[in-house]
Amino acid sequence: MTHTHINNSSYTFKHTNLLGIEQLSQHDIVFLLDQSEHMLTAFRSKTPLHNLKDAVVINLFFENSTRTLNSFDIAAKKLGAEVINTAIAHSSIKKGETLLDTAATLNAMRPDIVVIRHSFAGATALLSAKISCPVINAGDGAHEHPTQALLDALTIKLSKGSITGLKVAICGDILHSRVAYSNILLLKQMQADVHVVAPPTLMPHYIETLGITAHTHMSKGIKDCDIIMMLRLQTERMNGIYVPSPKEFYRFYGLDVEKLQNAKPDALIMHPGPTNRGVEIDGSIIENSRSLIERQVESGVAVRMAVMHNLYNAMQKAG
Amino acid sequence: MVKENNIPEKNFILTNIRVLNPLKRTDEVYTKQGGIVVKNGRIVDVGSNLLSDSHTEGLPLIDGKGLIVSPGLVDISVFPGSPGYAHRENLLSTSLSAAAGGVTAIILEPHTKPVNDNVATLDFIKRRARDESVVHVYCKAALTRNTDGKEMTEMGLLAESEAIAFGDGPYPVQDSQLIYMSMQYAKRFDALIVNQPQDNRLVNGGVMHDGHMAVRLGLPTMNEVAETVMLNRDIDLNRYCKGRFHASLLSTQRSCNIIHRAKNTQDKLSASVSINNLLLTDKDIEAYRTFFKHSPPLRSEQDKEALIEAVANNTIDIITSHHIPQPVEKKRLPFSQAAFGSVGLETLLPASLELYHDKKIDLLSLIASLTINPARIFSIKAGTIEKNSLADFVLFNVNSPYIVDPNNFKSRAKNSSYEGKKFRSQVCMTFVRGRCVYNNLIV
């Protein structure tokens, strides 16, 4: 059995929630990536799809987001769904309702898919227990952001042909990053060689228990890499507790032309956005032909279409 | 390292001399046929039979009869006055004072005005030092911005600009998270973190050791737990972080025990003590003598003896002068209001040698704690007398008593805790890069 092909006759996607990459097998990932490629073709050619016709998708965002919310919104609409976007500022939580009461209330409205982002790790899983339709985790604290990892994987696959065996470095604020954790799980599952780079203050103490290699020197961490994934450093983490200043962070952990020379000559650069130019990445690299940043955004819509479609299908089959 | 400066290099041979090399733990006496050959500011040869060699022909001789030469002292805690407090001391007077005490390398504390917490200030001080100082100058940079204990400084950029350690001088970092984060962050740069253990909430305005004297004098106290609580914290954090940590200016017996235990498992842990805590006790304060007001405070006889023992058995690695120049107006005040600290560079070697005379610490171990140990821990190329090392050394006479008179000090400040005290040894000559920067010998 190879890693990239599955025998479709014996495989069915059975998940009715996507709470994290942790729940996915290698088969699941390969299947979702294949499905995402089809969706990408349809999306690019503006082929009308009706997979979620008459379905209601609720985007329940307890934490601010622009790109992820828009991406889910567009993905659902491309599949023909009705979409309701609920941002924290308008929610009942502000009126004192508990999280689980909110879930029960929404559930009573019989949505077909609920997409949830929350600033606390585990909040999505907690809510999903009270919601009978598929739930997609759009980011829970520093835990998981599975659709981001899938869209990153799709982008890599489309650029490099395969993920297996690639050397991938994830650089920046590993400690607070759900993107990093989901990516690590997915890349490990696809048998990539995973390295992480961060100052010791932004690196989980036991990160190597995930079976990856941790570096505090960026030039060592990205040495001979095929893929460099940069992470966003939140402004509030540059003020002297985690990192002394943006200037110092850029000097030692910002991806600039000089550090990039340590990677393979054909190494590709990714960033989940939004980028801080001159903090974690040099502006010229963002616009470099080796940058996949815009393609990641496009992949994002396709991946979310594939995920919604397949969760919805699995739920229909499960009755 | 300090860059090449404008000190003229000298060539000579030092003969007829007893040479201490604490790095190799050697103590050798050379006759008039041997000694140390200095060319272009470096030691080019050390041996017993040099004068017959052609490469020594024509070099001037310095006869070290009856004298001992040791590597120049490295003093890790010097407050330079400049910038900001030049009325107290400047880099020239600091360096002349150092040379007079046998000190050839000083490590400056960061709490100047402005605080040495950024690359521009660090560069400024280093440039000043190149222009003014007769000894090597190294800088500790502040660990937190403005030594406020709230935000880390740009440790990486400062380390690239040759800050050799990070600490907030007399303002120990109180915030556990910040010192923890600093220790973690410092590992990226293999940087040395220095913290003087003193818990401000426990010090609570105290001005002297908690003991019989404090009761008699009615003064608020700094008890031993104010030190050990923070020392235990720092050491446990360092155990977890596994970085380079230096616990500076210890003053209690229990601190010695804590360091002794911790060193079994932490190989990059080091500790220092002020010479004042090895020679003086709270009894010296007597009638509110503010020249004996120190932080950490002078403590009991028992603490003092334990600290000496800790230096002798290498639990405490470094002796420092803890040089703090204070003008008279800062000291001629009620004890509680007077400033902490005393000048100490000038008396560092003679004062330390008292411990040798009293047979409390052997000569090589004592010299090691003043030379190679601080050089090794603070990553400075110093502390040895061997071929190819810089000609930084001090000639001293262990049998030459004198009485300390602060009026003769090179330091601008005269607040010595040893005024009128008789020391049994004297510094004779100090050389930096082969240049004589202090000469007390009639040659």
Side-chain angles (χ1 to χ4, degrees), chain B residues 122-158:
Chain B
L122 174 62
D123 284 345
F124 171 78
I125 295 172
K126 280 171 49 207
R127 258 201 325 277
R128 263 284 166 85
R130 273 201 292 279
D131 293 343
E132 295 182 10
S133 176
V134 301
V135 301
H136 300 286
V137 174
Y138 300 90
C139 292
K140 266 182 221 168
L143 183 64
T144 71
R145 277 188 207 129
N146 202 34
T147 64
D148 284 343
K150 296 200 175 103
E151 297 163 1
M152 256 191 262
T153 52
E154 292 170 329
M155 222 182 275
L157 296 172
L158 286 160

Side-chain angles (χ1 to χ4, degrees), chain A residues 175 199-201 205-206 216-218 238-249 251-253, chain B residues 145 150-158 160 177-178 180-182 184-185 187-189 240-242:
Chain A
L175 182 66
T201 44
H205 204 71
Y206 295 100
T216 56
H217 283 68
M218 192 160 178
M238 309 172 200
N239 62 6
I241 302 298
Y242 293 97
V243 166
S245 69
K247 183 171 126 199
E248 169 138 332
F249 188 80
R251 169 69 189 80
F252 298 103
Y253 295 99
Chain B
R145 277 188 207 129
K150 296 200 175 103
E151 297 163 1
M152 256 191 262
T153 52
E154 292 170 329
M155 222 182 275
L157 296 172
L158 286 160
E160 282 191 331
Q177 186 203 22
L178 190 64
Y180 165 72
M181 286 298 200
S182 306
Q184 288 286 22
Y185 192 73
K187 286 194 290 188
R188 161 63 177 76
F189 307 99
Y240 187 80
C241 297
K242 300 185 177 69

Side-chain angles (χ1 to χ4, degrees), chain B residues 227-240:
Chain B
E227 178 166 308
T228 53
V229 162
M230 188 177 282
L231 182 62
N232 277 315
R233 176 198 78 174
D234 288 351
I235 281 177
D236 206 31
L237 289 173
N238 191 56
R239 171 193 61 76
Y240 187 80

